[in-house]
Amino acid sequence: MSGREDEDEFDDKVETELVRRPDRAASPGFSLVVVAGASRGQTFTIAPGHPSRVLVGQSPMCDLRVDDRLVSRRHAAFEILRGKLRVTDLESTNGTSVQGVAVLGALLTGGEIVTMGETQIRIDRLADQAPAAIPSAVRFGAMFGASPEMRALYPLCERLASAAVPVLIEGETGTGKEVLAESLHELGPRKQGPFVVFDCTAVPPNLVESALFGHERGAFTGATESRKGVFEEAHGGTLLLDEIGDLELPLQAKLLRALERSEVQRVGSNRWVRVDVRILAATRRDLDHEIQAGRFRDDLFYRLAVARIELPPLRRRSGDVVVLAQHFWRQLAGKDTPFPPDFARRIADYAWPGNVRELYNAVARRVALGELAPIATLRPNTPRASGVPRPSTPPKPAPADFTEEILALDLPLPRARERVVEEFERRYVQRVLTAHGGNVGAAAAASGIARRYFQLIKARHKG
């Protein structure tokens, strides 16, 4: 069975399990009604199953935009949680209060007054209603997730894949922003064209302009030949500007010019080169906050954020931790290797600050080290963390031969663990490439990771 067929089989199993679950109970909706301030009279209704957080602030990108000089561009977020409405202050300048009490977050039941600056918002509880049907699909391209929070996003992703507009993908580190960007490309009309990633944090500031737009021979010391920039490399395809929030202000102006004119000028050249590129941008930063702090241009923000997707952190993806771990386990250990029940119990009680990337690495360590894998997946100072039973007999050594070899070196734990993961990655890449006839794109897809990340692993272990 091919890797794709194996993935389809797992997806079908997860979808079947979703169908067996009882429908979610009816839940109240909520209405946000501005009762005081310059935006008095505005309202926004949040129905059960709303696909993302509802943002309130001065920014045009907010769902409920208020005109108040004391309100931050992105001030607070609202979302329905177990029949209540949760409000979260988004590190605003002047804070958020409920019934006159300053809060970082609170659960509301209806009737409360939420104050932001000079604006007051009344929370009205609406009649219980069945949540809108959520698609049963558990993936979008290489993006996998069976939680309601993820499945509610997939229809939006499908529409954006077929569109040509720029998309801003937001989310914490490790939530899968690059995987989503590549999926938007692979499922869109430009899939035959190149998918190019430019990481704004990976290039020294003095070389960013050259990396973006290219340079001519002799343009600066070390420029021994002319080179295309990523815009020209992505011509006819898609360019992902990763961590766009880290781009320095002078370069933001040049980037904006390139986006507005759809043409670039290489460093050291007077000629403009026409480019046809779809732009996707990703960031872990709150760009509204960066604009307010003067570190990001608002005109560039509007150019990039024609459409916007916020990927939820793993701690908000109810039920996805174990499902994702099983998904990764099948990829890394094979479908015939049973998923360890004790591992499932441990990983379910952890907040995963590193999100999906951290979970993937934890599964990779368990596959490589077996029961010797360090368990760093329990919340400290919780009853469950202290109450996990310890094995009565010493753990059996991992069956992998290279594990025993590395243990024999008596290295410190961090270095030993690093060596094991390095060897495991090398063997895994060799195996999946062989299975797919050396096709990097197919091997990356079967591995469930972005092609660029697969290529980085492959290059790291080359030779």
Side-chain angles (χ1 to χ4, degrees):
M1 182 179 290
S2 70
R4 180 64 261 173
E5 290 172 340
D6 188 39
E7 290 295 308
D8 290 341
E9 177 187 304
F10 184 74
D11 290 359
D12 291 342
K13 180 180 177 182
V14 175
E15 288 182 26
T16 300
E17 187 62 31
L18 289 174
V19 171
R20 289 175 181 169
R21 296 177 187 174
D23 292 337
R24 289 179 297 158
S27 175
F30 291 87
S31 184
L32 312 182
V33 182
V34 182
V35 295
S39 298
R40 181 178 179 179
Q42 287 196 55
T43 64
F44 190 93
T45 299
I46 310 174
H50 194 278
S52 60
R53 297 188 303 171
V54 170
L55 301 178
V56 178
Q58 285 197 67
S59 171
M61 299 306 296
C62 287
D63 303 282
L64 178 57
R65 183 184 182 187
V66 295
D67 181 14
D68 187 335
R69 61 186 177 81
L70 299 179
V71 169
S72 298
R73 289 178 59 88
R74 191 181 304 192
H75 195 104
F78 292 83
E79 58 188 324
I80 295 177
L81 180 68
R82 294 188 293 275
K84 296 182 180 180
L85 186 67
R86 177 165 64 183
V87 57
T88 304
D89 182 81
L90 300 178
E91 299 182 3
S92 63
T93 302
N94 295 310
T96 301
S97 65
V98 176
Q99 299 296 97
V101 178
V103 299
L104 296 177
L107 289 175
L108 313 176
T109 58
E112 298 89 350
I113 296 294
V114 178
T115 302
M116 307 173 191
E118 297 175 344
T119 299
Q120 292 186 342
I121 300 174
R122 187 183 70 234
I123 307 302
D124 289 346
R125 182 187 178 101
L126 306 179
D128 286 6
Q129 53 186 295
I134 297 179
S136 61
V138 296
R139 74 164 61 240
F140 171 75
M143 175 71 66
F144 182 85
S147 64
E149 292 80 3
M150 291 301 293
R151 287 186 287 127
L153 285 178
Y154 295 153
L156 172 61
C157 294
E158 290 173 0
R159 290 195 294 272
L160 290 177
S162 60
V165 299
V167 180
L168 177 64
I169 305 172
E170 300 173 285
E172 296 178 6
T173 297
T175 48
K177 297 185 290 295
E178 184 177 331
V179 174
L180 174 57
E182 187 165 355
S183 297
L184 290 171
H185 169 77
E186 293 291 343
L187 297 176
R190 291 174 175 259
K191 63 182 178 182
Q192 301 302 326
F195 176 71
V196 178
V197 178
F198 178 74
D199 188 341
C200 297
T201 65
V203 180
N206 61 318
L207 297 178
V208 171
E209 183 178 1
S210 169
L212 282 171
F213 310 126
H215 64 258
E216 298 293 349
R217 180 180 178 183
F220 50 84
T221 303
T224 57
E225 59 182 0
S226 297
R227 291 192 61 180
K228 294 180 178 179
V230 292
F231 271 88
E232 289 184 72
E233 291 176 354
H235 181 73
T238 304
L239 172 61
L240 170 63
L241 299 171
D242 198 12
E243 297 302 351
I244 187 67
D246 290 78
L247 192 65
E248 294 189 348
L249 275 170
L251 287 166
Q252 291 177 27
K254 295 182 179 181
L255 174 60
L256 177 63
R257 182 183 178 91
L259 297 179
E260 290 177 337
R261 298 183 54 163
S262 294
E263 55 185 14
V264 297
Q265 187 179 56
R266 294 183 183 180
V267 177
S269 172
N270 294 322
R271 184 172 65 92
W272 289 92
V273 179
R274 193 78 180 170
V275 289
D276 172 24
V277 177
R278 185 189 186 181
I279 298 295
L280 305 177
T283 181
R284 70 191 186 284
R285 297 184 183 275
D286 177 348
L287 291 188
D288 281 303
H289 179 75
E290 296 299 298
I291 292 171
Q292 201 158 4
R295 293 188 291 265
F296 201 84
R297 294 177 62 108
D298 56 354
D299 47 3
L300 177 58
F301 174 76
Y302 300 138
R303 173 66 64 171
L304 295 171
V306 176
R308 171 182 160 269
I309 297 178
E310 181 184 14
L311 287 178
L314 190 52
R315 62 183 175 275
R316 284 177 46 212
R317 294 170 55 174
S318 53
D320 260 357
V321 170
V322 174
V323 173
L324 275 170
Q326 292 171 337
H327 170 68
F328 295 145
W329 183 270
R330 287 170 65 90
Q331 292 176 342
L332 299 171
K335 66 174 184 175
D336 297 326
T337 305
F339 185 72
D342 68 304
F343 186 56
R345 288 192 296 270
R346 284 174 161 87
I347 64 175
D349 194 36
Y350 180 61
W352 297 105
N355 291 296
V356 179
R357 184 184 295 123
E358 183 186 4
L359 176 61
Y360 178 89
N361 291 338
V363 175
R365 283 196 300 271
R366 180 60 186 251
V367 172
L369 294 173
E371 294 179 5
L372 288 178
I375 301 298
T377 53
L378 288 171
R379 285 197 184 106
N381 304 320
T382 64
R384 183 160 192 173
S386 59
V388 173
R390 298 182 180 276
S392 56
T393 57
K396 296 178 182 179
D401 56 334
F402 66 86
T403 305
E404 288 298 319
E405 294 173 3
I406 292 171
L407 288 172
L409 298 176
D410 293 328
L411 297 170
L413 175 59
R415 181 56 186 148
R417 179 169 39 200
E418 181 182 328
R419 290 280 295 274
V420 169
V421 173
E422 286 174 354
E423 179 64 14
F424 172 78
E425 285 182 344
R426 186 184 68 79
R427 294 190 184 193
Y428 181 84
V429 167
Q430 287 180 345
R431 179 178 176 179
V432 73
L433 278 173
T434 300
H436 293 275
N439 186 314
V440 172
S447 302
I449 58 178
R451 181 190 302 165
R452 174 173 171 265
Y453 183 47
F454 186 91
Q455 288 174 325
L456 287 174
I457 297 175
K458 178 174 176 287
R460 190 161 62 230
H461 302 294
K462 188 175 181 180

